[in-house]
Amino acid sequence: MLVVIIIGLYFIAATRIVNGTDAVEGEFPYAVDQSIYITTIYRQVSLRRNSSHTCGGTILNERFILTAAHCVCNNRKPQDSSLFSIQYDMIEITNLPENTVHVKNINCHKFSTEALIYDAAVLELEEPIPKGKWAPVKLSENFVTDKSQNGTIIGWGRISVRLIIGVD
């Protein structure tokens, strides 16, 4: 019985990205751009559930945010969008209501909770993000490659995982 629990917990922990490192401000200029005039432009948002940070997101434009589907979907079914908001133009995550916009609609597309595939969702906001220090992410229109590519995943997340197992 104990072996099954450990294997099950290992599978759960292995399906999430952990063991990252804290980024230095300005380290990823495509997420947060810093010009020579020390103006900071933010491309990432904090996705909040009931005013508490739950996941990160990327600004596609003033009305739409890209995030991980496992944060807002149960398979192809969206969770209640009224529970979610985003916080923009911030480096530090807070529970304060500043710089927030509520989510109007969640598009889960083909996400599968069991297989953990198509883990992307698009959030439609109730109103546009007000002009500020943010800018949308720059997406490639014709990205084609026949070679393996390395990538770096960025955003707010955990740099470790802590599992607590209760034994009776």
Side-chain angles (χ1 to χ4, degrees):
M1 179 73 164
L2 182 59
V3 173
V4 172
I5 293 172
I6 291 172
I7 292 170
L9 289 174
Y10 173 78
F11 176 75
I12 291 168
T15 61
R16 298 285 186 249
I17 298 170
V18 293
N19 298 327
T21 58
D22 286 333
V24 176
E25 187 173 338
E27 181 177 356
F28 298 102
Y30 41 86
V32 178
D33 289 344
Q34 294 184 325
S35 73
I36 58 173
Y37 302 108
I38 316 297
T39 301
T40 303
I41 299 175
Y42 303 93
R43 299 185 195 286
Q44 294 273 293
V45 298
S46 168
L47 175 62
R48 298 151 43 111
R49 182 183 171 105
N50 296 323
S51 300
S52 292
H53 174 78
T54 188
C55 284
T58 301
I59 300 171
L60 298 175
N61 63 34
E62 70 276 0
R63 295 287 304 219
F64 293 94
I65 305 295
L66 176 67
T67 192
H70 71 262
C71 300
V72 294
C73 304
N74 295 319
N75 286 315
R76 294 182 184 186
K77 185 177 182 210
Q79 295 180 31
D80 181 357
S81 62
S82 70
L83 300 175
F84 294 95
S85 63
I86 58 113
Q87 188 171 46
Y88 61 93
D89 278 1
M90 307 287 283
I91 290 178
E92 297 292 327
I93 297 169
T94 73
N95 289 340
L96 299 174
E98 64 182 295
N99 294 5
T100 60
V101 178
H102 291 278
V103 173
K104 176 181 178 181
N105 189 33
I106 300 170
N107 181 345
C108 298
H109 192 50
K110 299 181 189 178
F111 177 58
S112 168
T113 305
E114 293 80 27
L116 285 176
I117 56 174
Y118 303 109
D119 193 8
V122 175
L123 310 176
E124 180 182 2
L125 302 178
E126 284 188 355
E127 58 191 52
I129 303 172
K131 294 204 182 301
K133 298 187 250 181
W134 66 270
V137 69
K138 297 172 187 172
L139 299 174
S140 173
E141 291 183 24
N142 298 316
F143 180 79
V144 177
T145 183
D146 54 357
K147 296 180 183 178
S148 295
Q149 302 289 317
N150 291 324
T152 301
I153 297 173
I154 61 168
W156 287 296
R158 294 187 177 100
I159 59 173
S160 64
V161 64
R162 183 175 151 215
L163 298 174
I164 300 172
I165 302 172
V167 178
D168 290 332

